[in-house]
Amino acid sequence: MDKYVCTVCGYVYDPALGDPDNGVAAGTAFKDIPDDWVCPVCGAGKDQFEPEA
Amino acid sequence: MKKYLIVGNGIAGTTAAENIRKHDATVEITIVTEEELPFYYRIRLPDFLCGEVNESGLVAKKKEWYQENNITLRLSTKITGGSVKDKILHSSSGEEIRFDRLILANGSAPNIPAISGSDKKGVFALHCIQDAKDIISHASCCKKAILIGGGLLGLEAGNGLKKLGLGITVIEFFPRLLPRQLDSEGARRLQSILEDRGFSFKLDAKTRSIEGNEKIEGVTLENGEFIAADMVIISAGVTPKLHLAKKLGLDCNRGIKVDKQMRTSHPDIYEAGDIVEFEGRTYGIWPAAMEQGKIAGTNISGGNATYEGTILSSILKVAGIDLASAGEIDEENLHDSKTVASETIYKKIVLDNNRVIGCIMLGDRKNFNRINRAISTGEDILSELDTLLAI
């Protein structure tokens, strides 16, 4: 599964880790994260993420 | 109905408004700001500079968001003073804005060191969208730019200008780049990567004066060396804007003093963001402003949240360079540390009593999120360290 980078702050979403603090279980693909999820570092919306190069 | 007034629509003020609304669906929320745009990603201004994101892409909350959340946003409104006793703020147009409870989130202003010529035309700081527009319009007739200050924003702005085709020289007062984020070895490596990309550096150097009359001609360093350039960008950190807080009689030092509930010395006035001084420290970083905004918004509307400080954690957003750093980087070798290095990668973990208290990851920031979280929570990840650091 692909990692995604926040274009605002550079945080990397790694599907293997998920974002358990904010209700996203490890193993969740980026596309399956709820639309109202935001970057845990800077609060940017899901639309601000790009696939990691 | 209770009126909540927020001064400032950056990440701190906006997050505060969002959290007040979460706790109370009906109270009146107004945000006033000097800015001409709704909340935008200030930390993406270097990307805006080189055209990688346009104005509408920079805006984080569109007008509709304010409508949906029933938040009144008043742009281009400068607050000049007010009275705590009467619970009123004054705008520069002479208007009186009433409040029951107030959050100050009006941020910081760029530091402009006392360098002769820093008031000349062609000298800029990159702090708001208007600064970026001014820089873009000026840069079109320039070939060489000097950046005074080799911090994160300085390097990112330099990279933006380089993409516009300008030659870049960075003048840094410290003997190494990113002194808060990198130790000497990390800084040396980053410098060499950036030099390969065409950056020039003058480290351990102080600017004496900016030269030129109608047009910038360059800068002279303290040692007499002259460096030619057509424009100068100063990025020497930020200072809290305390003018309003002082007029309101709030307890200020370097920032406005705050308690763990994000309350100022006045019970009905809270604060968040760059303006805050928490336990003697001002932050000036996005994640701290976001966290403080959340806590101020929660507590002012009757919730109960506590701020415990924010670990300094940074990622350099220059395409093609993987660099992340958090917490204590131990330049002075006072702690135990573990480093892993190859020709292109340098990773360092700093330990204190078997807890990770800081890290540097250059060339590969795999597992940074995991390590960064362990630094914040104090979780013991010693047994995983070798795996986490593996190249």
Side-chain angles (χ1 to χ4, degrees):
Chain A
M1 281 186 288
D2 291 339
K3 292 181 186 176
Y4 278 72
V5 186
C6 175
T7 53
V8 177
C9 74
Y11 166 86
V12 179
Y13 176 77
D14 180 349
L17 296 171
D19 179 17
D21 293 348
N22 296 296
V24 178
T28 307
F30 187 78
K31 66 172 175 47
D32 297 328
I33 300 175
D35 286 338
D36 61 355
W37 176 83
V38 295
C39 172
V41 175
C42 72
K46 206 181 156 184
D47 60 345
Q48 298 289 318
F49 280 70
E50 286 171 357
E52 192 173 52
Chain B
M1 192 191 299
K2 261 201 175 145
K3 289 178 197 291
Y4 287 81
L5 180 61
I6 300 170
V7 184
N9 78 329
I11 178 67
T14 307
T15 308
E18 202 170 3
N19 280 277
I20 295 172
R21 188 51 83 219
K22 262 188 208 163
H23 283 82
D24 195 324
T26 57
V27 289
E28 205 177 300
I29 305 174
T30 301
I31 303 178
V32 292
T33 176
E34 289 176 39
E35 298 261 12
E36 59 190 73
L37 285 183
F39 168 50
Y40 61 90
Y41 295 119
R42 188 180 305 280
I43 47 180
R44 284 205 81 182
L45 285 175
D47 299 331
F48 178 74
L49 211 55
C50 60
E52 272 181 13
V53 59
N54 60 20
E55 187 170 304
S56 118
L58 202 63
V59 172
K61 304 280 191 206
K62 314 287 179 212
K63 293 234 161 84
E64 294 75 29
W65 181 84
Y66 296 89
Q67 283 161 8
E68 279 162 22
N69 286 283
N70 193 18
I71 294 168
T72 306
L73 174 67
R74 303 194 41 187
L75 299 172
S76 309
T77 304
K78 188 177 163 64
I79 300 296
T80 50
S83 156
V84 169
K85 188 171 63 69
D86 302 330
K87 295 204 165 162
I88 276 175
L89 293 187
H90 303 293
S91 80
S92 56
S93 64
E95 190 192 355
E96 293 188 335
I97 305 172
R98 273 195 11 81
F99 65 86
D100 292 302
R101 295 190 137 191
L102 175 67
I103 297 182
L104 293 179
N106 50 323
S108 57
N111 284 333
I112 305 296
I115 298 168
S116 125
S118 61
D119 54 347
K120 286 185 198 291
K121 193 169 156 258
V123 180
F124 302 90
L126 177 57
H127 192 69
C128 65
I129 179 96
Q130 191 55 50
D131 296 334
K133 289 177 180 172
D134 292 345
I135 292 172
I136 292 168
S137 101
H138 190 83
S140 61
C141 60
C142 292
K143 288 197 167 60
K144 268 201 77 181
I146 285 176
L147 276 114
I148 299 179
L152 276 179
L153 180 66
L155 297 182
E156 287 168 0
N159 192 58
L161 286 171
K162 218 172 78 43
K163 285 191 181 157
L164 289 179
L166 275 73
I168 303 294
T169 302
V170 177
I171 299 172
E172 168 61 45
F173 173 71
F174 265 83
R176 66 180 198 275
L177 293 178
L178 305 187
R180 283 172 88 184
Q181 288 90 3
L182 288 176
D183 63 1
S184 299
E185 175 62 16
R188 186 188 64 73
R189 287 168 175 254
L190 176 66
Q191 183 179 344
S192 126
I193 295 170
L194 289 168
E195 280 169 350
D196 285 347
R197 292 173 163 227
F199 279 71
S200 298
F201 293 97
K202 297 284 174 193
L203 302 181
D204 212 353
K206 219 174 154 188
T207 308
R208 183 197 293 160
S209 54
I210 299 171
E211 316 292 351
N213 292 317
E214 288 303 295
K215 220 179 140 298
I216 298 293
E217 287 163 12
V219 308
T220 305
L221 303 181
E222 287 286 352
N223 66 6
E225 186 181 350
F226 174 78
I227 306 161
D230 320 295
M231 68 189 293
V232 174
I233 314 262
I234 296 178
S235 64
V238 294
T239 304
K241 289 201 272 196
L242 297 178
H243 184 70
L244 176 59
K246 283 183 176 162
K247 278 201 169 169
L248 296 177
L250 301 176
D251 199 0
C252 298
N253 185 27
R254 279 199 299 147
I256 314 173
K257 290 189 184 173
V258 77
D259 66 13
K260 289 193 170 192
Q261 278 65 50
M262 300 316 293
R263 199 192 293 247
T264 66
S265 54
H266 189 283
D268 290 323
I269 305 180
Y270 288 65
E271 57 169 315
D274 285 4
I275 200 156
V276 165
E277 178 177 319
F278 176 72
E279 295 181 347
R281 175 162 190 192
T282 56
Y283 285 93
I285 54 170
W286 184 283
M290 188 170 87
E291 180 69 14
Q292 293 165 357
K294 192 171 164 187
I295 288 167
T298 300
N299 289 341
I300 203 171
S301 51
N304 182 16
T306 310
Y307 182 62
E308 300 289 353
T310 302
I311 304 256
L312 179 69
S313 151
S314 331
I315 293 172
L316 180 70
K317 294 181 290 118
V318 170
I321 300 180
D322 270 334
L323 170 62
S325 149
E328 173 59 55
I329 51 152
D330 196 27
E331 166 66 3
E332 285 87 25
N333 270 319
L334 302 173
H335 297 275
D336 290 334
S337 62
K338 205 174 165 68
T339 53
V340 178
S342 71
E343 200 174 316
T344 54
I345 294 171
Y346 175 66
K347 296 186 187 184
K348 174 177 180 178
I349 297 260
V350 182
L351 298 162
D352 184 48
N353 285 324
N354 290 336
R355 293 277 189 267
V356 178
I357 57 167
C359 76
I360 294 171
M361 308 184 95
L362 176 59
D364 172 10
R365 56 185 170 97
K366 197 167 66 225
N367 299 323
F368 176 68
N369 296 348
R370 175 86 182 94
I371 295 167
N372 194 19
R373 208 168 64 207
I375 295 171
S376 300
T377 59
E379 183 191 348
D380 185 347
I381 54 168
L382 216 54
S383 59
E384 296 169 49
L385 269 195
D386 287 336
T387 324
L388 290 174
L389 281 179
I391 296 180

